[in-house]
Amino acid sequence: MSDYEKPSMDLFQPNYDRPEADLFEDTLDKRHRVGRVWKVVFQISTVIGIIALATLILKIFNDTMGYAAIQYKKNPATISTTGKSLEEMSCSELWPILAENVSKNRLRTIEREKILEERTKTECYNLVMFEVAEPTVKKTWPLLASLINYQEIQAYTAEKYPEGDLTFKVWITKSFILSPQSDDPLKAGIKTAILGSLFIILIVIIISFPIGVAAAIYLEEYATQNRINNIIQTNINNLAGVPSIIYGMLGLAVFVRYLEPITSGALFGFSDPTTANGRTILSAGLTLSLLILPVVIINGQEAIRAVPNSLRQASYGMGATKWQTVWSHVLPNALPGILTGTILAVSRAFGETAPLVVVGAATFITFSPESIFSKFTSVPIQIYQWTARPQDAFQNIAAAAIIVLLVLLLVLNATAVFLRNRYSRRW
Amino acid sequence: MNLGIHLDTTVNQTIIEEIKEPDIIHAIEAKDLNVFYGDFLAVREVDLVIQAQKITALIGPSGCGKSTVLRSFNRMNDLIPTARTTGEVLFHGKNIYKEGVDPVEVRKRIGMVFQKPNPFPKSIYENIAWGVHINGFKGSKSDMDNLIEQTLRSAALWDEVKDKLHDSGLSLSGGQQQRLCIARTIAIRPDIILMDEPCSALDPISTLKIEELMRDLSEEYTIIIVTHNMQQAARVSEFTAFFSLTENRAGVLMEYGLTIQLFTNPKNKITEDYITGRFG
Ligand SMILES: Nc1ncnc2c1ncn2[C@@H]1O[C@H](COP(=O)(O)OP(=O)(O)OP(=O)(O)O)[C@@H](O)[C@H]1O
Ligand SMILES: [Mg+2]
């Protein structure tokens, strides 16, 4: 409290007659001063944290939209011969334009993919854009620069790309989320990666939650204090700190190589010619499960330890067995904590990149995963690959992908909070 | 100190004669009981015979091992990893520490009420139903309802909670919670109820209610209660065991007998000092 008022020294009568009086000196001022200094230190730390976070988010956000210099092989304005703009045209009006401008073979391929009647207006428009106009992004500017330096950007574009178009582009769009991976940043989307991530996370939850919770129960409720159990406990604590890339190497050796017949699905009569040597969603999920297992166990143990002993005593005192005590009292009361801990661990797995690179994430797949034996990529992997590309536009879609990742993580963490509140309110 | 005891020698005499009868029922009996925590001998050579359907109070200075002795009567000490027990505790003539005796069975027959009320974070109804259920209750839903009503009535709690049986047990007052804990213990029909300072967290009114309840229950159950409250021991118990500490901090049973006798005419100097409040 800054509004502390220093009491005048004669606020209270000094009690000199007390024998220890001269053992004390008046340090009140000094103590308050120290308190104020520490308060400022805490405030500054908080502010630094907030600034760091804000910078990160602004930086990413800055890249998700802005002007882009786009050059066309055939300018969309000149494609239409009727004077109507392409956006306004219906599918049946667009189709002749397409037929006129692409080769017979290409047209047949397009028709084989999906016939005219089944295509929506947007799909037709996109087809004409990509097949006829063939835009390429030459240069992009982040949002801030776009707002401040519009004149310069315009001049630059006019000089460098005389036939180019300067458009304000929002990179994070519905079609970005719903499109598969592509070589062209204008077409590329994150769908493949999101599906890959979700598949992997599903496996991680299915594997690490039950095993982790069971192990936590064993260590807390059953294991007695002996040498072996102490060694196990110490190891688990240490495993939680092992760098994730080591887990990637373990996953490569065990799941991808050694257990290949299982992880590739060959053992179950599953043959996918595109799946190379066990580098599958299953392998990735198992690797990440191993990675977070120690954390799940430790969080679970902590939640179990937080259940008051008086509950266990009450239960045992009524003639309950250990199993009945654990099942009816310890677990239900530890559950909110266990769930929160597990979800936080899972969200760590969600953002992991290094072990997946080692396990062999596909660098380029355009098809959605169909089963746990498919090749995989994940959102962080995708971000990593896009940032490594030299072209401007890939940086923009990487930023868009980061936003997607952050939103997904936020959803996970919100679920954790929701579950905790919901289960805590039950009693 | 006014102990609230009105000495009536004639009554006193008859009770003493009664317990000298050979066919007195022993509810539980400790024989040469020693309890260690690690290397520390907490309770030494306790020989104690608890009479059935009576209230026995365990009193003594803090740390003399009252709770330890109480817990050894239903093997709750087993839950403390360092605790070790030697000697015998005979229940129905059988040593409950003998190999092959299931502590779960022991605790079902010898229930326990703790110092701090510790209802389960479940509804009042479930607090009682759970113990009944896990001990293999076969009856129907309405049998269970009846049993719960009857139990709550015997715990003198029914009138206060009958309209909110499905509220959380934790929503009750401290005294009500403790009666709920007693209720869930008697719901599984134990022979003996152990109570470790059951009123120490309660106000005087709740305390009196619980004491009254204990007196009612003692017609059916054997009750052993640990208390620091001399008046309480004098008010509710028929027998009192006084524990004290030896020089090496082990707890020993100093004196045991009729409460009325122990409080008015203690045989032992230390007992007298303790009950008159002159304990050092
Ligand atoms: N779990 C334990 N681990 C180790 N020592 C213990 C444990 N519980 C009790 N003790 C020791 O055993 C001795 C007796 O303890 P106990 O709790 O039985 O005393 P008490 O008579 O119930 O005391 P109080 O009146 O304060 O409750 C004490 O010296 C205590 O320190
Ligand atoms: Mg005690």
Side-chain angles (χ1 to χ4, degrees), chain A residues 48-80:
Chain A
I48 292 176
I50 292 173
I51 290 175
L53 194 66
T55 320
L56 174 79
I57 292 187
L58 283 180
K59 155 90 179 65
I60 295 162
F61 191 70
N62 198 23
D63 276 340
T64 55
M65 56 187 77
Y67 281 108
I70 296 174
Q71 202 160 5
Y72 297 95
K73 208 165 137 203
K74 192 166 186 183
N75 199 311
T78 63
I79 292 176
S80 158

Side-chain angles (χ1 to χ4, degrees), chain A residues 255-268 278 373:
Chain A
F255 300 129
V256 177
R257 301 256 161 81
Y258 188 69
L259 295 178
E260 198 212 307
I262 297 172
T263 51
S264 67
L267 205 65
F268 314 103
F373 302 120

Side-chain angles (χ1 to χ4, degrees), chain A residues 310 314-316 318 328-329 427, chain B residues 107 118 120-121 130 135 184:
Chain A
S310 61
S315 173
Y316 286 125
M318 296 177 66
S328 298
H329 301 294
W427 41 286
Chain B
R107 294 183 202 126
N118 57 352
F120 299 124
W130 187 77
N135 279 300
R184 81 182 167 193

Side-chain angles (χ1 to χ4, degrees), chain B residues 148-206:
Chain B
I148 283 171
E149 174 174 348
Q150 192 196 331
T151 305
L152 282 170
R153 279 189 197 283
S154 12
L157 194 58
W158 175 251
D159 291 330
E160 287 157 76
V161 303
K162 62 170 183 266
D163 300 322
K164 49 175 185 178
L165 285 177
H166 296 284
D167 285 11
S168 167
L170 293 170
S171 67
L172 299 173
S173 76
Q176 290 172 330
Q177 285 186 15
Q178 196 62 301
R179 273 179 283 152
L180 179 60
C181 292
I182 295 174
R184 81 182 167 193
T185 305
I186 59 179
I188 53 177
R189 302 277 177 269
D191 296 357
I192 303 175
I193 305 172
L194 309 174
M195 298 186 176
D196 194 349
E197 302 182 40
C199 303
S200 65
L202 305 181
D203 66 290
I205 307 275
S206 308

Side-chain angles (χ1 to χ4, degrees), chain B residues 29-34 43-48 69 73 88 243 251-253:
Chain B
E29 179 178 357
K31 265 192 178 165
D32 193 20
L33 177 75
N34 296 281
V43 167
R44 200 181 75 191
E45 293 163 13
V46 169
D47 288 293
L48 184 61
V69 168
F73 282 152
E88 292 186 336
F243 287 80
V252 286
L253 177 61

Side-chain angles (χ1 to χ4, degrees), chain A residues 224-225 308-322 324-329 332-333 426-427, chain B residues 74 76 79 104 107-108 110-112 114 118-122 127-128 130-132 134-135 168 170 184-185 188:
Chain A
T224 47
Q225 280 269 341
N309 241 332
S310 61
L311 274 185
R312 293 185 184 86
Q313 288 178 346
S315 173
Y316 286 125
M318 296 177 66
T321 61
K322 180 157 256 168
Q324 287 169 328
T325 304
V326 168
W327 181 251
S328 298
H329 301 294
N333 289 298
R426 271 236 302 250
W427 41 286
Chain B
N74 72 342
M76 283 298 270
L79 302 179
V104 172
R107 294 183 202 126
K108 183 187 158 191
I110 306 174
M112 191 152 196
F114 300 84
N118 57 352
F120 299 124
K122 295 171 182 281
N127 255 284
I128 299 170
W130 187 77
V132 176
I134 58 152
N135 279 300
S168 167
L170 293 170
R184 81 182 167 193
T185 305
I188 53 177

Side-chain angles (χ1 to χ4, degrees), chain A residues 185-198:
Chain A
L186 285 172
K187 288 191 220 162
I190 193 81
K191 181 175 140 197
T192 328
I194 292 181
L195 285 177
S197 274
L198 291 181

